[in-house]
Amino acid sequence: MSERVYSGCTAVTMAGDAPYGLIEDAAIVTTAGRIVWVGRNRDLPGWCAHIPNIGLGGALVTPALIDCHTHLVFGGDRSKEFAMRLSGATYEEIARAGGGIRSTVGATRTASDDELLAGALRRVDDLLADGVAVIEVKSGYGLTIEDEMRMLQVARRIEQHRPVRIRTTWLAAHALPAEYADRADDYVADVAIEGLKRAHQEGLVDAVDGFCEGIGFTPHQMRRVFEAASELGLPVKLHAEQLSDLKGAVLAAEFGALSADHLEYLAPEDAHHLARSGTVAVLLPGAYFALRETKLPPVEALREHGVRMAVATDANPGSSPLSSLRLAMGMACTQFRLTPEEALAGATRNAAAALGLEKDYGTIELGKRTELAVWDAPGPDFLSYWLGGDLLRGRIIHGEFHER
């Protein structure tokens, strides 16, 4: 990879003390896919004189966005449930009637690998159009060892077809399949834990997750999964406090989890546990919107305790049919009352932390990967303010500019 200077831009570094870490009339120098200098164009060092200089014509440049919570690999769709919810059925009622996650499990099990990949790539393309460079993809719609592993194998194939980094998460503890009805403890042992060991052996797992909820798994059952993950040296995450307060976030913090996700029912007094463990609070406004929830996550308590907040799409066929991270950022502002700066931090530096990737991604700083998004936007607030539209001019990938 060659050296490049990118100049004539406004750099939104998301680092330093200034709002957004903003640098007007900025230059960014990249070598071998890493940032080696960033600052005002007038201060560009003399040693950069021989490096090709690419003017960006006043564009806004941010760290590439990161979607740190998705379920992109699945079969079928659940559009019929949309009408059911509009008629008053709750998420739990649909799930207990055989819909919800279980219906997607059936469609996923019968879909071929190529069909799963083709569907995932369509959703990935949506995210790439929003300046996304890193996507976390969970299993959780197979609920057998073979099908859960197959989902992660398909997820890993995405990198062969698109310029994106994929992080894979083992989420076998997502729902109880029909063949294990009333035998949740057996399922945890036979599939969630034994399958994790096999998937880890094959190098398919970057992190381990679970759905800690009344229609999911108990904190005790999730503790068993987390203990198995710890023995394998794998980081953990948790769907916690989405529909009720089972203290899943407290459990996640106890294990030093990368993130606790959803958190609508998190007790404000429990926010300090996340702060102490460094666990990122991942907010998912798409699910809140689609399920017409009314219980807001305790954002003020998270702020007060200095808990890092990330924003993600939760892209999935049931509770968050959303494949625009910029829209999720805007919804986080309007629904959860995040500031536009908090929303962008949530899709960059805090999202990187939620995936354990903060050393490489999330800010425009020395030593970081040169994975940047170049926008036709008047300022960083605009990225959350303007809903939809085509704002992305291009991406800088491994230091090379690729115009859309």
Side-chain angles (χ1 to χ4, degrees):
M1 279 174 280
S2 55
E3 297 174 302
R4 293 284 187 274
V5 175
Y6 292 99
S7 62
C9 62
T10 298
V12 183
T13 69
M14 302 309 295
D17 297 327
Y20 286 105
L22 203 69
I23 302 175
E24 301 281 359
D25 190 22
I28 302 166
V29 185
T30 177
T31 300
R34 296 277 177 175
I35 297 168
V36 295
W37 191 88
V38 60
R40 291 192 179 275
N41 191 54
R42 65 176 182 238
D43 299 326
L44 198 62
W47 54 264
C48 296
H50 72 283
I51 301 175
N53 192 312
I54 300 171
L56 294 177
L60 193 75
V61 179
T62 71
L65 304 190
I66 298 168
D67 197 346
C68 64
H69 182 132
T70 84
H71 306 254
L72 283 180
V73 176
F74 60 83
D77 70 83
R78 279 156 47 194
S79 54
K80 290 181 180 178
E81 293 178 15
F82 179 60
M84 293 172 65
R85 286 200 303 272
L86 293 178
S87 298
T90 68
Y91 184 64
E92 291 187 69
E93 288 169 346
I94 292 170
R96 295 191 188 283
I101 293 170
R102 284 186 180 180
S103 65
T104 299
V105 170
T108 302
R109 287 179 177 180
T110 57
S112 70
D113 290 3
D114 287 344
E115 288 170 335
L116 292 176
L117 178 62
L121 289 176
R122 287 194 294 272
R123 296 177 278 275
V124 168
D125 286 341
D126 290 345
L127 292 172
L128 295 182
D130 267 356
V132 172
V134 182
I135 304 172
E136 185 254 19
V137 181
K138 304 178 189 293
S139 69
Y141 293 132
L143 307 188
T144 68
I145 292 176
E146 291 73 18
D147 284 308
E148 290 290 294
M149 290 177 62
R150 190 165 68 96
M151 288 186 67
L152 297 187
Q153 289 163 351
V154 169
R156 288 284 172 91
R157 288 174 58 191
I158 291 170
E159 289 186 345
Q160 301 169 22
H161 298 269
R162 297 293 188 271
V164 67
R165 183 168 182 181
I166 299 295
R167 298 291 280 180
T168 51
T169 298
W170 179 259
L171 181 58
H174 195 200
L176 195 63
E179 58 267 29
Y180 275 91
D182 301 319
R183 294 193 296 130
D185 286 337
D186 290 340
Y187 174 79
V188 168
D190 297 347
V191 178
I193 293 176
E194 284 305 310
L196 171 60
K197 294 175 182 177
R198 282 182 50 185
H200 175 60
Q201 275 186 333
E202 296 195 16
L204 294 173
V205 183
D206 295 316
V208 179
D209 198 350
F211 184 34
C212 187
E213 196 53 72
I215 59 172
F217 295 88
T218 67
H220 175 72
Q221 288 161 344
M222 286 313 312
R223 178 179 293 277
R224 291 170 56 198
V225 174
F226 282 3
E227 287 171 347
S230 297
E231 289 175 4
L232 296 172
L234 291 169
V236 299
K237 307 163 71 69
L238 191 63
H239 290 59
E241 275 74 86
Q242 180 184 8
L243 305 172
S244 62
D245 183 8
L246 296 185
K247 304 300 178 186
V250 177
L251 175 67
E254 178 187 336
F255 279 84
L258 289 173
S259 70
D261 303 35
H262 286 291
L263 301 179
E264 284 89 337
Y265 282 81
L266 176 73
E269 61 269 21
D270 287 337
H272 75 95
H273 293 287
L274 300 178
R276 186 178 305 154
S277 64
T279 300
V280 177
V282 178
L283 305 181
L284 304 171
Y288 179 91
F289 173 81
L291 298 179
R292 297 196 294 179
E293 293 290 347
T294 57
K295 177 75 171 172
L296 290 166
V299 166
E300 196 55 50
L302 295 171
R303 282 195 190 110
E304 179 184 343
H305 290 281
V307 178
R308 291 174 294 180
M309 294 181 285
V311 177
T313 63
D314 191 18
N316 75 73
S319 62
S320 188
L322 171 66
S323 54
S324 169
L325 185 52
R326 273 208 313 111
L327 180 55
M329 289 162 54
M331 293 166 72
C333 295
T334 56
Q335 294 182 151
F336 296 163
R337 306 299 187 266
L338 266 60
T339 67
E341 185 174 2
E342 286 174 327
L344 185 56
T348 54
R349 66 170 185 256
N350 293 343
L355 298 180
L357 295 176
E358 62 266 47
K359 290 183 179 180
D360 285 332
Y361 297 89
T363 60
I364 303 177
E365 292 183 282
L366 298 187
K368 294 290 182 79
R369 290 180 181 268
T370 317
E371 296 284 347
L372 310 175
V374 181
W375 307 92
D376 286 319
D381 287 355
F382 200 85
L383 300 179
S384 294
Y385 150 74
W386 194 260
L387 304 180
D390 187 4
L391 303 183
L392 187 71
R393 183 187 299 182
R395 280 178 52 201
I396 299 175
I397 304 170
H398 306 311
E400 298 287 342
F401 182 57
H402 297 262
E403 193 164 6
R404 289 193 67 216

